[in-house]
Short mmCIF file of all heavy atoms in Angstrom, two decimals:
data_model
loop_
_atom_site.label_atom_id
_atom_site.label_comp_id
_atom_site.label_asym_id
_atom_site.label_seq_id
_atom_site.Cartn_x
_atom_site.Cartn_y
_atom_site.Cartn_z
N GLU A 56 8.89 -5.98 -339.66
CA GLU A 56 9.92 -6.91 -339.21
C GLU A 56 9.72 -7.23 -337.73
O GLU A 56 9.23 -6.39 -336.98
CB GLU A 56 11.30 -6.30 -339.43
CG GLU A 56 11.71 -6.25 -340.89
CD GLU A 56 11.83 -7.61 -341.51
OE1 GLU A 56 12.16 -8.57 -340.79
OE2 GLU A 56 11.57 -7.75 -342.71
N PRO A 57 10.13 -8.43 -337.29
CA PRO A 57 10.74 -9.51 -338.06
C PRO A 57 9.73 -10.53 -338.58
O PRO A 57 10.11 -11.53 -339.17
CB PRO A 57 11.67 -10.17 -337.05
CG PRO A 57 10.90 -10.02 -335.76
CD PRO A 57 10.15 -8.71 -335.85
N LEU A 58 8.43 -10.26 -338.35
CA LEU A 58 7.41 -11.22 -338.76
C LEU A 58 7.41 -11.41 -340.27
O LEU A 58 7.14 -12.50 -340.77
CB LEU A 58 6.04 -10.76 -338.28
CG LEU A 58 4.87 -11.72 -338.48
CD1 LEU A 58 5.13 -13.04 -337.77
CD2 LEU A 58 3.57 -11.10 -337.99
N GLY A 59 7.73 -10.34 -341.01
CA GLY A 59 7.71 -10.44 -342.46
C GLY A 59 8.70 -11.45 -343.00
O GLY A 59 8.36 -12.24 -343.90
N THR A 60 9.92 -11.45 -342.48
CA THR A 60 10.91 -12.42 -342.96
C THR A 60 10.53 -13.83 -342.54
O THR A 60 10.86 -14.80 -343.23
CB THR A 60 12.31 -12.08 -342.41
OG1 THR A 60 12.24 -11.95 -340.99
CG2 THR A 60 12.81 -10.77 -343.00
N LEU A 61 9.82 -13.96 -341.41
CA LEU A 61 9.41 -15.28 -340.96
C LEU A 61 8.39 -15.90 -341.92
O LEU A 61 8.35 -17.12 -342.09
CB LEU A 61 8.82 -15.19 -339.55
CG LEU A 61 8.45 -16.50 -338.86
CD1 LEU A 61 9.69 -17.35 -338.63
CD2 LEU A 61 7.74 -16.23 -337.54
N VAL A 62 7.59 -15.06 -342.55
CA VAL A 62 6.58 -15.55 -343.49
C VAL A 62 7.23 -16.32 -344.63
O VAL A 62 6.87 -17.46 -344.94
CB VAL A 62 5.73 -14.38 -344.03
CG1 VAL A 62 4.82 -14.85 -345.16
CG2 VAL A 62 4.90 -13.77 -342.92
N LEU A 63 8.22 -15.70 -345.27
CA LEU A 63 8.89 -16.36 -346.40
C LEU A 63 9.66 -17.58 -345.94
O LEU A 63 9.58 -18.65 -346.57
CB LEU A 63 9.83 -15.37 -347.09
CG LEU A 63 10.63 -15.91 -348.28
CD1 LEU A 63 9.70 -16.42 -349.37
CD2 LEU A 63 11.56 -14.85 -348.84
N ALA A 64 10.41 -17.47 -344.83
CA ALA A 64 11.20 -18.60 -344.34
C ALA A 64 10.31 -19.79 -343.99
O ALA A 64 10.60 -20.93 -344.35
CB ALA A 64 12.02 -18.18 -343.12
N LEU A 65 9.21 -19.52 -343.31
CA LEU A 65 8.32 -20.59 -342.89
C LEU A 65 7.62 -21.24 -344.07
O LEU A 65 7.53 -22.47 -344.15
CB LEU A 65 7.30 -20.04 -341.89
CG LEU A 65 6.41 -21.05 -341.18
CD1 LEU A 65 7.27 -22.03 -340.37
CD2 LEU A 65 5.43 -20.34 -340.25
N ALA A 66 7.15 -20.44 -344.99
CA ALA A 66 6.44 -20.99 -346.15
C ALA A 66 7.35 -21.88 -346.99
O ALA A 66 6.98 -23.00 -347.37
CB ALA A 66 5.88 -19.84 -347.00
N ILE A 67 8.56 -21.41 -347.27
CA ILE A 67 9.48 -22.20 -348.08
C ILE A 67 9.89 -23.47 -347.36
O ILE A 67 9.97 -24.55 -347.96
CB ILE A 67 10.72 -21.35 -348.44
CG1 ILE A 67 10.35 -20.30 -349.48
CG2 ILE A 67 11.85 -22.23 -348.98
CD1 ILE A 67 11.49 -19.45 -349.94
N THR A 68 10.13 -23.39 -346.06
CA THR A 68 10.57 -24.56 -345.31
C THR A 68 9.49 -25.63 -345.28
O THR A 68 9.78 -26.83 -345.43
CB THR A 68 10.97 -24.17 -343.89
OG1 THR A 68 11.99 -23.16 -343.94
CG2 THR A 68 11.51 -25.37 -343.14
N ILE A 69 8.24 -25.22 -345.08
CA ILE A 69 7.15 -26.20 -345.05
C ILE A 69 7.04 -26.93 -346.38
O ILE A 69 6.90 -28.16 -346.43
CB ILE A 69 5.83 -25.50 -344.69
CG1 ILE A 69 5.85 -25.06 -343.22
CG2 ILE A 69 4.64 -26.43 -344.92
CD1 ILE A 69 4.65 -24.24 -342.80
N ILE A 70 7.11 -26.18 -347.47
CA ILE A 70 6.98 -26.81 -348.79
C ILE A 70 8.22 -27.64 -349.12
O ILE A 70 8.13 -28.72 -349.71
CB ILE A 70 6.71 -25.75 -349.86
CG1 ILE A 70 5.42 -24.99 -349.54
CG2 ILE A 70 6.60 -26.38 -351.23
CD1 ILE A 70 5.11 -23.86 -350.47
N GLU A 71 9.40 -27.16 -348.70
CA GLU A 71 10.63 -27.94 -348.91
C GLU A 71 10.56 -29.26 -348.14
O GLU A 71 10.96 -30.31 -348.65
CB GLU A 71 11.83 -27.13 -348.45
CG GLU A 71 13.15 -27.86 -348.58
CD GLU A 71 14.31 -27.12 -347.95
OE1 GLU A 71 14.07 -26.19 -347.16
OE2 GLU A 71 15.46 -27.46 -348.23
N THR A 72 10.02 -29.20 -346.93
CA THR A 72 9.88 -30.42 -346.13
C THR A 72 8.95 -31.41 -346.82
O THR A 72 9.22 -32.61 -346.86
CB THR A 72 9.33 -30.06 -344.74
OG1 THR A 72 10.26 -29.18 -344.09
CG2 THR A 72 9.16 -31.31 -343.89
N SER A 73 7.86 -30.89 -347.39
CA SER A 73 6.94 -31.76 -348.12
C SER A 73 7.63 -32.42 -349.30
O SER A 73 7.41 -33.60 -349.59
CB SER A 73 5.73 -30.95 -348.59
OG SER A 73 5.06 -30.35 -347.51
N LEU A 74 8.48 -31.66 -349.98
CA LEU A 74 9.23 -32.21 -351.12
C LEU A 74 10.16 -33.33 -350.67
O LEU A 74 10.21 -34.40 -351.30
CB LEU A 74 10.02 -31.08 -351.78
CG LEU A 74 10.98 -31.48 -352.91
CD1 LEU A 74 10.22 -32.11 -354.07
CD2 LEU A 74 11.77 -30.27 -353.40
N ILE A 75 10.90 -33.13 -349.58
CA ILE A 75 11.83 -34.14 -349.10
C ILE A 75 11.09 -35.41 -348.69
O ILE A 75 11.48 -36.53 -349.07
CB ILE A 75 12.65 -33.59 -347.91
CG1 ILE A 75 13.57 -32.47 -348.38
CG2 ILE A 75 13.48 -34.71 -347.27
CD1 ILE A 75 14.29 -31.77 -347.26
#
Side-chain angles (χ1 to χ4, degrees):
E56 287 297 330
L58 186 60
T60 53
L61 186 64
V62 171
L63 179 59
L65 189 60
I67 287 182
T68 304
I69 290 174
I70 300 176
E71 178 188 16
T72 300
S73 302
L74 174 61
I75 293 173

